[in-house]
Every structure is written in structure tokens, then in C-alpha cells.
mmCIF file of all heavy atoms in Angstrom:
data_model
loop_
_atom_site.group_PDB
_atom_site.id
_atom_site.type_symbol
_atom_site.label_atom_id
_atom_site.label_comp_id
_atom_site.label_asym_id
_atom_site.label_seq_id
_atom_site.Cartn_x
_atom_site.Cartn_y
_atom_site.Cartn_z
ATOM 1 N N PRO Y 28 106.120 132.769 74.696
ATOM 2 C CA PRO Y 28 106.991 133.168 75.850
ATOM 3 C C PRO Y 28 106.787 132.280 77.055
ATOM 4 O O PRO Y 28 105.742 131.667 77.234
ATOM 5 C CB PRO Y 28 106.621 134.599 76.099
ATOM 6 C CG PRO Y 28 105.150 134.662 75.717
ATOM 7 C CD PRO Y 28 105.008 133.754 74.562
ATOM 8 N N PHE Y 29 107.796 132.251 77.885
ATOM 9 C CA PHE Y 29 107.719 131.457 79.133
ATOM 10 C C PHE Y 29 106.727 132.079 80.091
ATOM 11 O O PHE Y 29 106.804 133.284 80.360
ATOM 12 C CB PHE Y 29 109.090 131.368 79.828
ATOM 13 C CG PHE Y 29 110.130 130.611 79.084
ATOM 14 C CD1 PHE Y 29 111.457 130.940 79.205
ATOM 15 C CD2 PHE Y 29 109.784 129.544 78.275
ATOM 16 C CE1 PHE Y 29 112.474 130.214 78.542
ATOM 17 C CE2 PHE Y 29 110.785 128.787 77.590
ATOM 18 C CZ PHE Y 29 112.073 129.164 77.721
ATOM 19 N N SER Y 30 105.793 131.322 80.579
ATOM 20 C CA SER Y 30 104.791 131.794 81.523
ATOM 21 C C SER Y 30 104.925 131.101 82.865
ATOM 22 O O SER Y 30 105.230 129.914 82.937
ATOM 23 C CB SER Y 30 103.402 131.511 80.975
ATOM 24 O OG SER Y 30 102.407 131.747 81.938
ATOM 25 N N GLU Y 31 104.664 131.889 83.938
ATOM 26 C CA GLU Y 31 104.714 131.300 85.259
ATOM 27 C C GLU Y 31 103.644 130.202 85.436
ATOM 28 O O GLU Y 31 103.754 129.377 86.381
ATOM 29 C CB GLU Y 31 104.445 132.373 86.334
ATOM 30 C CG GLU Y 31 105.419 133.508 86.307
ATOM 31 C CD GLU Y 31 104.892 134.716 85.506
ATOM 32 O OE1 GLU Y 31 104.140 134.484 84.509
ATOM 33 O OE2 GLU Y 31 105.248 135.862 85.835
ATOM 34 N N HIS Y 32 102.681 130.168 84.589
ATOM 35 C CA HIS Y 32 101.593 129.177 84.727
ATOM 36 C C HIS Y 32 101.976 127.832 84.089
ATOM 37 O O HIS Y 32 101.206 126.844 84.201
ATOM 38 C CB HIS Y 32 100.308 129.715 84.089
ATOM 39 C CG HIS Y 32 99.920 131.069 84.643
ATOM 40 N ND1 HIS Y 32 99.507 131.235 85.951
ATOM 41 C CD2 HIS Y 32 99.915 132.305 84.098
ATOM 42 C CE1 HIS Y 32 99.240 132.514 86.173
ATOM 43 N NE2 HIS Y 32 99.492 133.177 85.046
ATOM 44 N N ASP Y 33 103.137 127.800 83.389
ATOM 45 C CA ASP Y 33 103.571 126.568 82.731
ATOM 46 C C ASP Y 33 104.368 125.713 83.716
ATOM 47 O O ASP Y 33 104.948 126.172 84.691
ATOM 48 C CB ASP Y 33 104.474 126.893 81.552
ATOM 49 C CG ASP Y 33 103.724 127.623 80.450
ATOM 50 O OD1 ASP Y 33 102.485 127.481 80.386
ATOM 51 O OD2 ASP Y 33 104.404 128.338 79.662
ATOM 52 N N SER Y 34 104.429 124.415 83.392
ATOM 53 C CA SER Y 34 105.239 123.484 84.192
ATOM 54 C C SER Y 34 106.704 123.765 83.998
ATOM 55 O O SER Y 34 107.154 124.138 82.916
ATOM 56 C CB SER Y 34 104.901 122.043 83.772
ATOM 57 O OG SER Y 34 105.838 121.146 84.287
ATOM 58 N N VAL Y 35 107.467 123.597 85.077
ATOM 59 C CA VAL Y 35 108.930 123.793 84.983
ATOM 60 C C VAL Y 35 109.602 122.549 85.615
ATOM 61 O O VAL Y 35 110.477 122.691 86.473
ATOM 62 C CB VAL Y 35 109.411 125.103 85.679
ATOM 63 C CG1 VAL Y 35 109.010 126.288 84.830
ATOM 64 C CG2 VAL Y 35 108.850 125.252 87.096
ATOM 65 N N ASP Y 36 109.236 121.408 85.184
ATOM 66 C CA ASP Y 36 109.716 120.143 85.751
ATOM 67 C C ASP Y 36 110.769 119.488 84.944
ATOM 68 O O ASP Y 36 111.080 118.306 85.186
ATOM 69 C CB ASP Y 36 108.504 119.169 85.929
ATOM 70 C CG ASP Y 36 107.553 119.647 87.009
ATOM 71 O OD1 ASP Y 36 107.979 120.400 87.889
ATOM 72 O OD2 ASP Y 36 106.351 119.304 86.935
ATOM 73 N N HIS Y 37 111.414 120.151 83.975
ATOM 74 C CA HIS Y 37 112.400 119.554 83.164
ATOM 75 C C HIS Y 37 113.664 120.436 83.069
ATOM 76 O O HIS Y 37 114.024 120.930 82.002
ATOM 77 C CB HIS Y 37 111.871 119.241 81.769
ATOM 78 C CG HIS Y 37 110.722 118.306 81.764
ATOM 79 N ND1 HIS Y 37 109.405 118.724 81.956
ATOM 80 C CD2 HIS Y 37 110.691 116.951 81.666
ATOM 81 C CE1 HIS Y 37 108.638 117.659 81.929
ATOM 82 N NE2 HIS Y 37 109.378 116.573 81.748
ATOM 83 N N PRO Y 38 114.356 120.643 84.212
ATOM 84 C CA PRO Y 38 115.599 121.444 84.179
ATOM 85 C C PRO Y 38 116.686 120.762 83.389
ATOM 86 O O PRO Y 38 116.724 119.538 83.315
ATOM 87 C CB PRO Y 38 115.990 121.541 85.671
ATOM 88 C CG PRO Y 38 115.344 120.347 86.319
ATOM 89 C CD PRO Y 38 114.063 120.096 85.570
ATOM 90 N N VAL Y 39 117.563 121.569 82.777
ATOM 91 C CA VAL Y 39 118.660 120.989 81.996
ATOM 92 C C VAL Y 39 120.027 121.359 82.604
ATOM 93 O O VAL Y 39 121.082 121.157 81.924
ATOM 94 C CB VAL Y 39 118.565 121.438 80.507
ATOM 95 C CG1 VAL Y 39 117.312 120.906 79.902
ATOM 96 C CG2 VAL Y 39 118.667 122.952 80.374
ATOM 97 N N SER Y 40 120.052 121.896 83.805
ATOM 98 C CA SER Y 40 121.314 122.099 84.527
ATOM 99 C C SER Y 40 121.003 122.011 86.006
ATOM 100 O O SER Y 40 119.867 122.190 86.465
ATOM 101 C CB SER Y 40 121.861 123.504 84.187
ATOM 102 O OG SER Y 40 121.103 124.508 84.802
ATOM 103 N N LEU Y 41 122.063 121.678 86.798
ATOM 104 C CA LEU Y 41 121.863 121.581 88.241
ATOM 105 C C LEU Y 41 121.532 122.982 88.817
ATOM 106 O O LEU Y 41 120.748 123.081 89.770
ATOM 107 C CB LEU Y 41 123.167 121.077 88.922
ATOM 108 C CG LEU Y 41 123.079 120.922 90.407
ATOM 109 C CD1 LEU Y 41 122.019 119.892 90.790
ATOM 110 C CD2 LEU Y 41 124.411 120.511 90.998
ATOM 111 N N TYR Y 42 122.102 124.013 88.232
ATOM 112 C CA TYR Y 42 121.754 125.360 88.680
ATOM 113 C C TYR Y 42 120.219 125.594 88.595
ATOM 114 O O TYR Y 42 119.581 126.020 89.552
ATOM 115 C CB TYR Y 42 122.477 126.407 87.821
ATOM 116 C CG TYR Y 42 122.016 127.818 88.048
ATOM 117 C CD1 TYR Y 42 122.239 128.495 89.236
ATOM 118 C CD2 TYR Y 42 121.309 128.516 87.046
ATOM 119 C CE1 TYR Y 42 121.790 129.775 89.482
ATOM 120 C CE2 TYR Y 42 120.859 129.827 87.270
ATOM 121 C CZ TYR Y 42 121.080 130.438 88.460
ATOM 122 O OH TYR Y 42 120.664 131.706 88.669
ATOM 123 N N ALA Y 43 119.652 125.220 87.468
ATOM 124 C CA ALA Y 43 118.224 125.349 87.246
ATOM 125 C C ALA Y 43 117.438 124.534 88.257
ATOM 126 O O ALA Y 43 116.408 124.946 88.837
ATOM 127 C CB ALA Y 43 117.839 124.996 85.828
ATOM 128 N N ALA Y 44 117.922 123.321 88.499
ATOM 129 C CA ALA Y 44 117.247 122.429 89.443
ATOM 130 C C ALA Y 44 117.238 123.016 90.878
ATOM 131 O O ALA Y 44 116.259 122.897 91.578
ATOM 132 C CB ALA Y 44 117.928 121.044 89.465
ATOM 133 N N THR Y 45 118.353 123.666 91.268
ATOM 134 C CA THR Y 45 118.378 124.252 92.590
ATOM 135 C C THR Y 45 117.449 125.430 92.701
ATOM 136 O O THR Y 45 116.828 125.676 93.751
ATOM 137 C CB THR Y 45 119.786 124.697 93.003
ATOM 138 O OG1 THR Y 45 120.260 125.768 92.134
ATOM 139 C CG2 THR Y 45 120.786 123.585 92.986
ATOM 140 N N LYS Y 46 117.251 126.185 91.602
ATOM 141 C CA LYS Y 46 116.326 127.309 91.637
ATOM 142 C C LYS Y 46 114.892 126.843 91.705
ATOM 143 O O LYS Y 46 114.010 127.432 92.373
ATOM 144 C CB LYS Y 46 116.573 128.203 90.432
ATOM 145 C CG LYS Y 46 117.867 129.011 90.514
ATOM 146 C CD LYS Y 46 117.863 129.901 91.762
ATOM 147 C CE LYS Y 46 119.094 130.752 91.849
ATOM 148 N NZ LYS Y 46 119.044 131.634 93.052
ATOM 149 N N LYS Y 47 114.604 125.786 90.949
ATOM 150 C CA LYS Y 47 113.214 125.176 91.045
ATOM 151 C C LYS Y 47 112.996 124.658 92.467
ATOM 152 O O LYS Y 47 111.946 124.795 93.037
ATOM 153 C CB LYS Y 47 113.103 124.060 90.031
ATOM 154 C CG LYS Y 47 111.887 123.127 90.206
ATOM 155 C CD LYS Y 47 110.605 123.877 90.068
ATOM 156 C CE LYS Y 47 109.416 122.851 90.146
ATOM 157 N NZ LYS Y 47 108.110 123.534 90.134
ATOM 158 N N ALA Y 48 114.030 124.010 93.040
ATOM 159 C CA ALA Y 48 113.917 123.535 94.433
ATOM 160 C C ALA Y 48 113.654 124.682 95.378
ATOM 161 O O ALA Y 48 112.869 124.572 96.342
ATOM 162 C CB ALA Y 48 115.217 122.816 94.809
ATOM 163 N N ASN Y 49 114.280 125.843 95.133
ATOM 164 C CA ASN Y 49 114.026 127.002 96.041
ATOM 165 C C ASN Y 49 112.548 127.394 95.995
ATOM 166 O O ASN Y 49 111.969 127.704 97.069
ATOM 167 C CB ASN Y 49 114.857 128.208 95.580
ATOM 168 C CG ASN Y 49 116.344 128.093 95.875
ATOM 169 O OD1 ASN Y 49 117.129 128.914 95.425
ATOM 170 N ND2 ASN Y 49 116.720 127.094 96.672
ATOM 171 N N GLU Y 50 111.933 127.362 94.818
ATOM 172 C CA GLU Y 50 110.537 127.688 94.708
ATOM 173 C C GLU Y 50 109.666 126.695 95.510
ATOM 174 O O GLU Y 50 108.720 127.065 96.204
ATOM 175 C CB GLU Y 50 110.103 127.723 93.265
ATOM 176 C CG GLU Y 50 110.765 128.833 92.475
ATOM 177 C CD GLU Y 50 110.349 128.825 90.974
ATOM 178 O OE1 GLU Y 50 109.504 128.038 90.585
ATOM 179 O OE2 GLU Y 50 110.905 129.672 90.257
ATOM 180 N N LEU Y 51 110.001 125.419 95.437
ATOM 181 C CA LEU Y 51 109.269 124.423 96.163
ATOM 182 C C LEU Y 51 109.470 124.558 97.675
ATOM 183 O O LEU Y 51 108.520 124.399 98.458
ATOM 184 C CB LEU Y 51 109.747 123.012 95.728
ATOM 185 C CG LEU Y 51 109.454 122.633 94.283
ATOM 186 C CD1 LEU Y 51 110.123 121.321 93.920
ATOM 187 C CD2 LEU Y 51 107.964 122.558 93.986
ATOM 188 N N MET Y 52 110.698 124.848 98.093
ATOM 189 C CA MET Y 52 110.968 125.024 99.511
ATOM 190 C C MET Y 52 110.214 126.241 100.040
ATOM 191 O O MET Y 52 109.657 126.222 101.150
ATOM 192 C CB MET Y 52 112.479 125.194 99.686
ATOM 193 C CG MET Y 52 113.273 123.944 99.361
ATOM 194 S SD MET Y 52 115.052 124.286 99.051
ATOM 195 C CE MET Y 52 115.595 124.634 100.717
ATOM 196 N N ALA Y 53 110.231 127.315 99.288
ATOM 197 C CA ALA Y 53 109.502 128.522 99.701
ATOM 198 C C ALA Y 53 108.018 128.231 99.867
ATOM 199 O O ALA Y 53 107.381 128.672 100.842
ATOM 200 C CB ALA Y 53 109.730 129.648 98.693
ATOM 201 N N HIS Y 54 107.442 127.488 98.924
ATOM 202 C CA HIS Y 54 106.055 127.185 99.031
ATOM 203 C C HIS Y 54 105.756 126.414 100.304
ATOM 204 O O HIS Y 54 104.729 126.637 100.982
ATOM 205 C CB HIS Y 54 105.513 126.386 97.802
ATOM 206 C CG HIS Y 54 104.042 126.147 97.889
ATOM 207 N ND1 HIS Y 54 103.525 125.061 98.492
ATOM 208 C CD2 HIS Y 54 102.974 126.887 97.440
ATOM 209 C CE1 HIS Y 54 102.199 125.097 98.437
ATOM 210 N NE2 HIS Y 54 101.872 126.233 97.787
ATOM 211 N N THR Y 55 106.606 125.488 100.661
ATOM 212 C CA THR Y 55 106.399 124.688 101.868
ATOM 213 C C THR Y 55 106.344 125.567 103.085
ATOM 214 O O THR Y 55 105.487 125.415 103.960
ATOM 215 C CB THR Y 55 107.549 123.654 102.017
ATOM 216 O OG1 THR Y 55 107.617 122.841 100.864
ATOM 217 C CG2 THR Y 55 107.373 122.798 103.267
ATOM 218 N N TYR Y 56 107.274 126.553 103.162
ATOM 219 C CA TYR Y 56 107.263 127.455 104.312
ATOM 220 C C TYR Y 56 106.078 128.388 104.306
ATOM 221 O O TYR Y 56 105.527 128.751 105.342
ATOM 222 C CB TYR Y 56 108.609 128.251 104.388
ATOM 223 C CG TYR Y 56 109.673 127.457 105.124
ATOM 224 C CD1 TYR Y 56 110.232 126.319 104.585
ATOM 225 C CD2 TYR Y 56 110.127 127.898 106.366
ATOM 226 C CE1 TYR Y 56 111.206 125.579 105.260
ATOM 227 C CE2 TYR Y 56 111.124 127.195 107.042
ATOM 228 C CZ TYR Y 56 111.634 126.027 106.484
ATOM 229 O OH TYR Y 56 112.595 125.322 107.176
ATOM 230 N N SER Y 57 105.654 128.783 103.089
ATOM 231 C CA SER Y 57 104.460 129.639 102.994
ATOM 232 C C SER Y 57 103.249 128.873 103.496
ATOM 233 O O SER Y 57 102.363 129.406 104.167
ATOM 234 C CB SER Y 57 104.246 130.081 101.539
ATOM 235 O OG SER Y 57 105.297 130.952 101.135
ATOM 236 N N HIS Y 58 103.200 127.595 103.133
ATOM 237 C CA HIS Y 58 102.055 126.766 103.507
ATOM 238 C C HIS Y 58 102.081 126.404 105.023
ATOM 239 O O HIS Y 58 101.055 126.552 105.712
ATOM 240 C CB HIS Y 58 102.114 125.467 102.681
ATOM 241 C CG HIS Y 58 101.096 124.425 103.142
ATOM 242 N ND1 HIS Y 58 99.697 124.541 102.933
ATOM 243 C CD2 HIS Y 58 101.237 123.272 103.865
ATOM 244 C CE1 HIS Y 58 99.108 123.529 103.443
ATOM 245 N NE2 HIS Y 58 100.027 122.741 104.039
ATOM 246 N N LEU Y 59 103.213 125.982 105.510
ATOM 247 C CA LEU Y 59 103.258 125.513 106.911
ATOM 248 C C LEU Y 59 103.271 126.662 107.919
ATOM 249 O O LEU Y 59 102.654 126.547 108.992
ATOM 250 C CB LEU Y 59 104.524 124.666 107.086
ATOM 251 C CG LEU Y 59 104.564 123.278 106.402
ATOM 252 C CD1 LEU Y 59 105.904 122.643 106.586
ATOM 253 C CD2 LEU Y 59 103.451 122.400 106.951
#
């Protein structure tokens, strides 16, 4: 099964890429 601990660096749709980007953006604001 898909685990949060796995890499998610290979999206196959732009929709997926924007959702991955949201996670990265959120982390930046959490950090800063």
C-alpha cells in the first residue's frame, strides 16, 4: 500500500503535481 513515508516525486498528471506542490509549500510555511 501507499505509505506517507515513501517518495512521491513522480506525478503522472498536472493535478497530482499541484497537490505535491501544496505539500511542499505548506512545509515551507511551517518551517519559516
Side-chain angles (χ1 to χ4, degrees):
F29 293 150
S30 169
E31 302 96 329
H32 306 293
D33 294 336
S34 169
V35 289
D36 291 335
H37 298 87
V39 296
S40 70
L41 182 62
Y42 170 69
T45 63
K46 288 301 184 178
K47 167 62 175 174
N49 287 170
E50 295 179 3
L51 296 173
M52 294 160 72
H54 184 272
T55 303
Y56 274 68
S57 294
H58 171 74
L59 290 175

